Amino acid sequence: MGPYLLRRVFNALLVIWAAFTISFCLLYLLPSDPISMMLSAEGAGGGGAANISSEQYHLLAERHGFDRSPFEQYLYLLGKAVHGDLGVSMQSGKTVVAQIADVLPETLKLAALSLLLAMVLGVSIALTAGAFSSGLLRSLLLALPPISMALPTFWIGLILLQIFAFKLHLVPSLGNRGFASLVLPACTLAIPTAALIAQTLTKGIDDAMALPFVRVLKAKGVPRRTIYFRHVLHNAAIPTLTILALIIGNVFAGAVVTETVFSRSGAGRLLQSAVDVQDIPVVQGLVLMMAVTYAGVNLVADLLYPLLDPRIRRGAGGVGGEA
Amino acid sequence: MSEALLSASAQIPPTSDGVEVVSAAADSRLKGYVPRWLGLGLAAAFIGMVALWAIFPQIFTAGDPFAGNITARLQPPSTLHWFGTDNLGRDLFTRVVYGTSLSLKATVVALLIAFVTSSVIGVVAGYLGGVVDEIVMRVVDVLLAIPQLLISLMLISALGFGTINIALAVGIASIASFSRVMRSQVLRVCASPYVEAARSYGAKWYVICFRHVFPQARGPVSALVAIEFGSAVLSISALSFLGYGAVPPTPEWGNLVADGRNYLATAWWLTTIPGLVIIITVIAVNTIGRAFNRTGGAQ
């Protein structure tokens, strides 16, 4: 257990470091001039790159570290990031960490509620469909996930707004106004997530049903219900656990669109507005936050595998250990 | 369309055992046969129509996508304006038809970038193996850890806005998943005796890679392209919806939906109908992709 844990923690750190490096390469090394971008972002009121002296330009470049060679910049930023300093937003001048911390609670609320809804919806679809091996109900239920995966998230949000906020006046339409304003965004995010959960779990159930031990249990006369709930589900949960981090990543990515549609403040909206004005430190900070979340969730999933799968506990096989 | 999906899902073989299940599977296959081909035909017809919208928009509509008629503002769908009109009195059907070209172009460019780049990466990593393979696959693993939309957004904040840039962003964001499939195929093909034979008569490594290995390995990646077409349409419309695509008067599927946002309470058609066009396109493309995959798998 000890070496297993150590390897997993090391792996998580590696993912975070690599995400930092890749985001650095994409954001800082592509041919773009961050200083002029920053100035044109501020320069709506008559500023802009044309209006500043080259001296001021270099001063700004020095303050943000753009005057050094790419590799030095990388080491400088990495060193800062290790100490929890992700730089300063080019747009607002506040630190990136403070800006993310400001809006994160709203996104966490949204993500938590939508994950809960998605779990309930996805698991109930998969369980009901899995209980029947054929039939109309199963076909109907299994047709749902592919259809909901074809729906653009922004469209789901707008349709829900149209129906529940504007036609029926059940909930406030926009903004962060308590629980009522959280319901529609959470439903919007939950639909594609539920589809993903339902699909993975159904596949898991079908695969587990086909395993020889199910036949043995049937031959021994174990009731169908016991086989299904005690043995099959146990096995089917493992692939779903594997995609947990993927699901959470999708929820966060979906939050970019959802928070924009519902004009909610949150990490997704922050990312959208940062991309709008090409505020590169904020974009990198949010990507890094995503990588930390992903690595953290995967670490938790890795710690849960041995509890679910005795083969990993005994170190005999690796069902999803090497992710 | 839903019939096709139903029949497609009915194709999943029942998993319990016994002889009667075999006959049940055959039975459902027989029952699913007609609706499946019907669905596939409908999907192909729709995609054909959308492709024609993109290439010859003027055949389908006589209107001008930019010319508004202020006396006909915000009119609901009717026989005159099939999809209704927007706040400037422009015909929404005309705008959707003209917007198809940019949206589809962006999708094709994105998939082309993903396919070509990932083919090179996958072939080189899979064939060379060793340290190169190890490094490339580690990078791919990390890229897979970041949601594709985030990678696209990173690229857009570095590259700037525009239809081509969102196509690039979506294309590059999907390289990781494509490369992984390509590499695993290359590894499989590289183990076959004829590759060893090619090596033994002294063929150059690049000849082996691109003459012998690539043609055998590309099948599953092409199938992935068919499957990923739908999600590329979705990603591109999402980025266009967020306002990173074409500049407003130019129509794109995503920004047409975004344009309708301010009229949710009064003009439902402005958001609903362009969205439905996107959805039906994605479902149709997925239906074709799955059929393509089934026949590809049988070979």
Side-chain angles (χ1 to χ4, degrees):
Chain A
M1 193 65 206
Y4 174 79
L5 186 69
L6 209 64
R7 220 174 42 238
R8 295 290 107 200
V9 172
F10 177 73
N11 213 33
L13 290 176
L14 195 73
V15 167
I16 296 169
W17 167 75
F20 179 87
T21 310
I22 291 173
S23 63
F24 175 85
C25 293
L26 291 183
L27 290 168
Y28 288 87
L29 298 188
L30 278 173
S32 60
D33 182 359
I35 302 289
S36 337
M37 285 194 302
M38 174 169 49
L39 291 169
S40 56
E42 288 168 352
N51 290 9
I52 80 160
S53 67
S54 69
E55 200 176 312
Q56 282 170 304
Y57 184 97
H58 287 298
L59 203 70
L60 269 173
E62 202 184 305
R63 197 167 82 199
H64 289 277
F66 291 124
D67 56 338
R68 302 170 219 210
S69 77
F71 190 64
E72 275 176 334
Q73 273 186 50
Y74 170 73
L75 289 182
Y76 171 69
L77 288 175
L78 183 62
K80 282 209 313 188
V82 168
H83 293 97
D85 178 4
L86 297 176
V88 176
S89 158
M90 291 181 176
Q91 195 190 12
S92 67
K94 287 196 266 182
T95 65
V96 172
V97 175
Q99 256 193 320
I100 294 179
D102 267 356
V103 292
L104 200 56
E106 286 301 322
T107 303
L108 286 182
K109 269 191 256 170
L110 176 62
L113 185 62
S114 64
L115 268 179
L116 186 73
L117 282 173
M119 286 279 184
V120 172
L121 202 64
V123 170
S124 32
I125 288 177
L127 282 188
T128 322
F132 305 95
S133 54
S134 60
L136 186 65
L137 183 64
R138 179 182 160 91
S139 306
L140 268 175
L141 285 172
L142 290 185
L144 280 178
I147 293 177
S148 28
M149 279 180 170
L151 307 179
T153 318
F154 56 88
W155 190 80
I156 302 175
L158 291 172
I159 294 297
L160 289 178
L161 263 180
Q162 232 165 43
I163 299 172
F164 293 100
F166 289 113
K167 285 261 152 58
L168 305 175
H169 301 285
L170 288 178
V171 285
S173 58
L174 302 170
N176 305 47
R177 285 180 235 154
F179 185 74
S181 72
L182 192 63
V183 176
L184 286 189
C187 290
T188 307
L189 266 177
I191 289 174
T193 316
L196 190 61
I197 295 176
Q199 262 187 342
T200 317
L201 195 57
T202 310
K203 174 98 182 15
I205 290 173
D206 285 351
D207 288 350
M209 283 285 214
L211 290 175
F213 82 88
V214 174
R215 193 176 301 190
V216 172
L217 287 175
K218 266 186 202 157
K220 278 168 75 179
V222 179
R224 273 185 72 96
R225 202 184 302 130
T226 318
I227 299 180
Y228 192 53
F229 284 104
R230 273 209 43 204
H231 302 280
V232 169
L233 277 189
H234 188 116
N235 274 276
I238 295 170
T240 315
L241 193 62
T242 311
I243 63 154
L244 186 66
L246 185 79
I247 289 172
I248 289 178
N250 278 351
V251 167
F252 183 77
V256 178
V257 172
T258 312
E259 289 175 351
T260 309
V261 168
F262 290 92
S263 304
R264 290 177 61 83
S265 70
R269 189 83 186 289
L270 180 65
L271 180 58
Q272 189 260 338
S273 60
V275 173
D276 251 352
V277 297
Q278 308 192 298
D279 191 344
I280 284 174
V282 175
V283 175
Q284 194 187 21
L286 285 162
V287 170
L288 214 55
M289 183 197 88
M290 191 59 244
V292 171
T293 315
Y294 181 89
V297 172
N298 257 350
L299 193 62
V300 172
D302 282 335
L303 298 182
L304 288 176
Y305 283 129
L307 300 179
L308 274 173
D309 192 338
R311 282 167 300 182
I312 298 178
R313 201 155 54 218
R314 294 198 206 100
V319 173
E322 285 307 316
Chain B
M1 204 59 61
S2 62
E3 249 182 342
L5 284 164
L6 285 186
S7 67
S9 52
Q11 289 304 306
I12 296 169
T15 45
S16 14
D17 40 341
V19 183
E20 49 181 84
V21 173
V22 175
S23 68
D27 189 37
S28 85
R29 204 171 299 149
L30 209 64
K31 265 192 292 184
Y33 193 77
V34 173
R36 169 147 60 95
W37 284 103
L38 190 69
L40 196 59
L42 279 175
F46 186 81
I47 294 303
M49 182 181 73
V50 168
L52 285 176
W53 282 3
I55 308 169
F56 308 111
Q58 59 279 11
I59 294 181
F60 293 88
T61 164
D64 177 344
F66 300 107
N69 174 6
I70 218 71
T71 55
R73 295 176 68 229
L74 295 177
Q75 301 224 328
S78 61
T79 46
L80 187 60
H81 299 288
W82 289 359
F83 290 180
T85 61
D86 68 4
N87 56 318
L88 298 174
R90 295 174 294 196
D91 180 50
L92 186 61
F93 177 69
T94 308
R95 287 179 65 72
V96 168
V97 167
Y98 275 88
T100 308
S101 148
L102 275 184
S103 298
L104 279 198
K105 243 185 245 164
T107 310
V108 171
V109 168
L111 289 172
L112 215 62
I113 291 170
F115 181 72
V116 172
T117 322
S118 64
S119 295
V120 174
I121 293 176
V123 168
V124 170
Y127 184 77
L128 294 181
V131 186
V132 180
D133 187 38
E134 182 72 20
I135 293 173
V136 169
M137 283 302 121
R138 280 280 157 183
V139 173
V140 163
D141 278 346
V142 174
L143 284 175
L144 288 174
I146 308 172
Q148 290 200 358
L149 184 70
L150 283 190
I151 301 180
S152 302
L153 288 176
M154 270 200 282
L155 286 160
I156 287 170
S157 51
L159 293 171
F161 302 166
T163 309
I164 284 300
N165 285 347
I166 62 175
L168 270 172
V170 170
I172 296 174
S174 25
I175 287 177
S177 56
F178 280 62
S179 306
R180 182 166 246 202
V181 175
M182 193 63 183
R183 172 191 171 258
S184 67
Q185 288 308 312
V186 169
L187 284 182
R188 182 182 61 81
V189 174
C190 277
S192 30
Y194 81 92
V195 174
E196 206 181 327
R199 228 180 261 140
S200 72
Y201 65 68
K204 296 269 188 310
W205 70 271
Y206 49 86
V207 175
I208 299 180
C209 274
F210 292 97
R211 273 290 298 284
H212 302 298
V213 176
F214 176 67
Q216 281 295 314
R218 89 189 149 197
V221 186
S222 315
L224 192 63
V225 169
I227 291 289
E228 288 290 307
F229 199 100
S231 49
V233 170
L234 286 178
S235 313
I236 282 168
S237 63
L239 292 172
S240 165
F241 172 82
L242 289 172
Y244 305 136
V247 188
T250 312
E252 263 177 358
W253 286 355
N255 70 14
L256 283 175
V257 178
D259 284 349
R261 271 184 73 189
N262 298 331
Y263 303 92
L264 279 181
T266 47
W268 58 269
W269 55 92
L270 287 179
T271 44
T272 310
I273 294 180
L276 280 175
V277 172
I278 299 174
I279 294 165
I280 297 173
T281 307
V282 173
I283 292 178
V285 163
N286 286 350
T287 307
I288 296 172
R290 267 201 303 273
F292 182 66
N293 258 8
R294 259 200 303 273
T295 51
Q299 275 168 6

